[in-house]
Each structure stands twice: as C-alpha cells, then as structure tokens.
Amino acid sequence: MAEASDSLRTMGTHLSSLHEDAELALGQVASRSSGVNAMRAALRSSIAEHSELIARVGSLQTATATACDGLVAVRRQVLACQDYAGANPNLSLADDGTVTAILPTTSNMSAATAATTTGGSAGGTTADAKLIQSQADELAGMVAATVTLANQVDADYAQALNSATPNPQPGPSPKPDPNPNPRSNPSQVGGDTATRSSRSGRVVPRGSVPSGKGNSDGNTSKTGLGDPVPGEHADMPGVDPWQYPGDTPDEGSGPHGQRDATLRDHLVHEGATLAARALEDTWPDAAANLNHYLDNTGTPQYINVDGMLDDLSSLDEGSQTEVTRAVNAAVDDYKASGATGPMTYPFNTDWTSGYAQQSESENWFYATGGYQYCTEGTVTVYPPTDSNSDYTYSYDYRVHVADRYNWDRNKDTPIGPANITDAEMQKLHQAGMAQEYDLVGKSSVQHGTGP
C-alpha cells in the first residue's frame, strides 16, 4: 500500500507539471485570430479536464495513504492479540481469530478445551478457571475490536475508490458479440462487418498456383493466384480467416474473471485509465486499444490498417512483396495462356507475422507490437500493343491485419510516469476488471500499374 501511495504521488506530481506547462503555453499565445481562438478554447477545455484528472489522482493518493495508516493500526492490534495469547499459556488463538481457553477440571486439574466467545462461560469452578476465562474473554474482545477496525478500513477505502472513479467498469463479458460494432480509434478510417467477421483461420503454404486446402472446419479455401476472368474486372477473393490460437504459458492471461479484484488491482486500473487518457494525442491508437481493454467488454476492436501502412515501412514493404509475387505469377500465366485480350486474376496470400518496431512507430509498438497480416487483390494483365511491345498490368489490393490484444508475463510497459508490468495488467483480466480481445481490420484499396 505504501508503494502504491508513492506511485500515485509521483503520478500526481507529473500531471501537475504538465498542467502548469499547458497553462503557461496558454498565456503565451498573443494572437486573436479565429483559428488561434479556437485552439485556445480547445486548450482551455483540455486544461479543465486535466484538472479533474489531477484531483482524482490526489483523492486516490490521499485515500491510499489513509488506508495504509489504517492497515498499520490493524497490524499493531493483531500483534497485540498475538502477544497477549503468547503471554498466557492457557489461551489459544487460531488463525481465524477463534479464542480457546484451556481450563482445569475440579477433579484432577487436567486440561480441557472449550471454544469461547465474548461473554461466554467455559464452566470452570476454581479461581484459576475464572481467571483463565476472564483472560479469554478479554482476548476475544481484542480480536473483535481488531476485526471491526479492519472492516472499517476496508469500507472507507472502497468508498474512496468509488468516489474517485465516477464511472465504474462493467462486469465480466465472457463471450464477445460475434458481430460487434467497432469502437472508432482516434485515427480510424474505414472498416466493415465483413472484415470483422472474417477471422477464424489457418496458415497454408504459399504458391502462385491455387490449391484447395481444407481448413479446420472442413471448408475448402484457396490462397495464391486464382483462375483468370476475361476483361478488366474480377471480385477480390477474400482472405483465409484468422483465429487466435489460444493462450500459452508466456502469452495471454487465462480465464477472464477467475478471481476477485484486490485493492492493488483497483489502483493499477485507475492509473492505467488516467495514463491512457493522457496519451490519446501522443499515441492515439495505443491509447484507444488500452482504453478498450480497460472498458472490459472483450469485443473485437477495429485496427487502422491504413495508418499502419503509413507509419510502418516493414508492413508496407512486406505487403508490396506479396503483391509483386502475385503480379509476376499473373503475367507468366497470361503469357503461357496465349490470350489476346485483358485478363484479370484474383489473388490472396496466407497470414504471416509482422512486428511494429519501436524505432518505426512508438504508437504502433505500444498499440499492437507483433501482429499477423495478409493481402487480397486482383491483377489485370494486358497484351502488347503496336506502340508498346511489353506486357503491362494494373493491380488493386487490400491488406488485412489481425492480432490478439493481450499481455506477456515477462515484460513491462511505461504507462505515464509509472512503469506497470505486463503481469499487473494481466491481473486486471484475471480479476474481471479488464478483458483481452481481438484486433481486426483491413486497408483501403491500394492501386498500382507496371511495368
């Protein structure tokens, strides 16, 4: 508890410093143009919201420090009970707080035990028995007072947490909606139900010649280059659906809501919520994904693949390599076919692994890290003409991305001024306060021509 209180104090200090910087920036803007006035109004609104965050963190820190003092007082009383029992050999104090008096008998003074509660009597008849019973009653009273104090500390802290968290989190949602409405990321563009419902898949070997493969549910699917369609248009073939293979010893948090939440869980959840809100402008997609985890719905979240293609050269180059392979296969097949007019080939690829390096984009590094991607598209091949002896082509394609938003036990992540471990974030899922989920999305249609 003391560590949690110190972490909240550090977070409050950091937020106060940011608040002062924002107010200083507001005072240094001299222009009164309409655009600047609008920006000034937005900054004032952000400053006001930031003030609320600082107040909430301050309330949490005060409540946590008070609870810490309360726990110290409870511990002191527990030790006093244990010392009292230890000083009186005819008393026994169980772990659950039960006091037992070992009373002498009137016939042979041998030991006998009887459970004792405040005001009770074990029936001893000698002076020693009365003294022992009196001591047992006194210890039972001390135990009762300690339990009362502990319950009061717990109730006061729970009330303080509820007051500092005006929007309590929803309860467990063990089964995600199969057709959810995606929550919009701050930088989201596009997205539809077909994309979100096309994730249940497998990986098959690549190849430029399509081959039917049975997936896990017995359906037949193809990857690679499809049969050509005469003309300049063919429908994109879709992609093999992707499915999260399940948690492993090093990845994922196990069953949702498998235990009750602790005070530490509440503190971590509140700190992560405040940090996610503070980072919405700096790392919009990372903040949105963290917020969705903390929202505790478990429903799939749309991922902005166009933004990933803009920011991650590794994803852009990897998908373009797939397209180039399909284009070359289409041109080779067209040449061998002897066709004299345009032919359009549908194609798709199997899922492959990608990784958003921190050096490429901190936003995507924290938003997803590792992910899976594949492509689908069409290639139209044209024969040589009188003015051009080369075979030419045009192509359209989309990139699909999928990932599981979860936590790895052996990592830690800086969230705001604090360094919260993945293990602590996993505990929120296990306590039913947050929930892991699938990230799914596809890009807008990309175009190209050649050679």
Side-chain angles (χ1 to χ4, degrees):
M1 290 293 291
E3 181 182 348
S5 177
D6 290 342
S7 296
L8 285 168
R9 184 181 293 107
T10 299
M11 181 179 291
T13 301
H14 181 76
L15 290 173
S16 295
S17 177
L18 294 176
H19 183 80
E20 292 173 1
D21 290 344
E23 287 187 324
L24 180 62
L26 182 63
Q28 292 178 340
V29 178
S31 173
R32 291 294 183 268
S33 68
S34 57
V36 172
N37 284 338
M39 294 177 61
R40 186 183 288 107
L43 182 56
R44 286 197 185 96
S45 177
S46 297
I47 290 174
E49 185 173 334
H50 207 170
S51 297
E52 294 179 7
L53 294 180
I54 293 172
R56 289 172 63 188
V57 171
S59 297
L60 282 172
Q61 192 277 323
T62 299
T64 303
T66 301
C68 184
D69 292 340
L71 288 177
V72 171
V74 170
R75 184 174 184 273
R76 187 179 298 116
Q77 292 191 197
V78 169
L79 292 175
C81 291
Q82 293 173 336
D83 290 344
Y84 189 92
N88 294 278
N90 290 316
L91 299 180
S92 173
L93 179 60
D95 291 340
D96 63 358
T98 300
V99 177
T100 301
I102 305 174
L103 299 174
T105 64
T106 56
S107 58
N108 56 14
M109 302 300 287
S110 63
T113 62
T116 303
T117 57
T118 303
S121 174
T125 58
T126 65
D128 287 343
K130 291 181 179 179
L131 176 61
I132 293 170
Q133 182 62 55
S134 174
Q135 292 170 341
D137 291 341
E138 182 176 355
L139 180 56
M142 294 170 63
V143 171
T146 302
V147 172
T148 298
L149 176 61
N151 289 337
Q152 187 61 51
V153 171
D154 183 70
D156 290 346
Y157 192 46
Q159 182 178 2
L161 287 177
N162 289 333
S163 299
T165 310
N167 296 310
Q169 299 303 310
S173 176
K175 186 175 182 180
D177 183 350
N179 294 299
N181 292 321
R183 168 179 172 172
S184 296
N185 285 4
S187 58
Q188 175 179 326
V189 290
D192 54 34
T193 303
T195 300
R196 296 191 302 277
S197 63
S198 67
R199 306 288 190 244
S200 63
R202 60 186 179 80
V203 174
V204 299
R206 281 191 178 82
S208 61
V209 179
S211 58
K213 301 285 183 180
N215 62 19
S216 59
D217 59 8
N219 294 330
T220 297
S221 62
K222 296 180 178 180
T223 58
L225 195 67
D227 295 330
V229 177
E232 298 178 276
H233 176 76
D235 292 334
M236 291 190 186
V239 298
D240 282 344
W242 176 89
Q243 184 176 5
Y244 176 59
D247 291 347
T248 68
D250 296 322
E251 180 180 0
S253 305
H256 178 252
Q258 59 189 267
R259 61 169 178 80
D260 293 333
T262 65
L263 295 178
R264 176 65 180 175
D265 293 328
H266 284 281
L267 289 173
V268 170
H269 190 285
E270 183 66 15
T273 299
L274 295 173
R277 293 180 64 183
L279 295 171
E280 285 177 351
D281 292 333
T282 306
W283 300 333
D285 297 279
N289 291 351
L290 178 56
N291 272 322
H292 191 65
Y293 174 69
L294 298 170
D295 282 347
N296 197 27
T297 65
T299 56
Q301 167 89 325
Y302 184 80
I303 189 168
N304 177 15
V305 181
D306 281 334
M308 294 181 73
L309 289 170
D310 288 340
D311 299 337
L312 301 175
S313 59
S314 57
L315 175 60
D316 185 41
E317 293 168 2
S319 58
Q320 294 232 18
T321 298
E322 300 288 358
V323 173
T324 299
R325 182 181 289 113
V327 166
N328 291 339
V331 172
D332 289 343
D333 187 86
Y334 183 87
K335 290 178 179 179
S337 72
T340 58
M343 300 286 283
T344 300
Y345 294 79
F347 74 91
N348 57 17
T349 67
D350 53 300
W351 292 93
T352 190
S353 297
Y355 194 86
Q357 298 289 345
Q358 189 171 7
S359 58
E360 287 185 287
S361 169
E362 288 191 327
N363 175 42
W364 292 112
F365 174 76
Y366 291 116
T368 179
Y371 57 88
Q372 299 286 313
Y373 73 95
C374 64
T375 59
E376 63 164 328
T378 59
V379 181
T380 301
V381 184
Y382 301 90
T385 64
D386 293 340
S387 59
N388 187 352
S389 60
D390 293 329
Y391 289 87
T392 58
Y393 56 83
S394 63
Y395 57 84
D396 300 318
Y397 71 97
R398 280 191 291 247
V399 179
H400 295 254
V401 172
D403 183 33
R404 182 71 172 175
Y405 190 89
N406 56 16
W407 303 91
D408 303 336
R409 289 175 174 80
N410 299 321
K411 294 181 181 178
D412 55 32
T413 302
I415 299 180
N419 199 59
I420 300 178
T421 66
D422 276 29
E424 288 181 300
M425 297 301 290
Q426 282 186 321
K427 290 177 181 178
L428 300 183
H429 174 94
Q430 295 163 355
M433 297 184 67
Q435 193 163 175
E436 296 175 350
Y437 59 91
D438 290 342
L439 284 164
V440 294
K442 67 181 179 183
S443 72
S444 58
V445 176
Q446 313 292 306
H447 310 278
T449 60

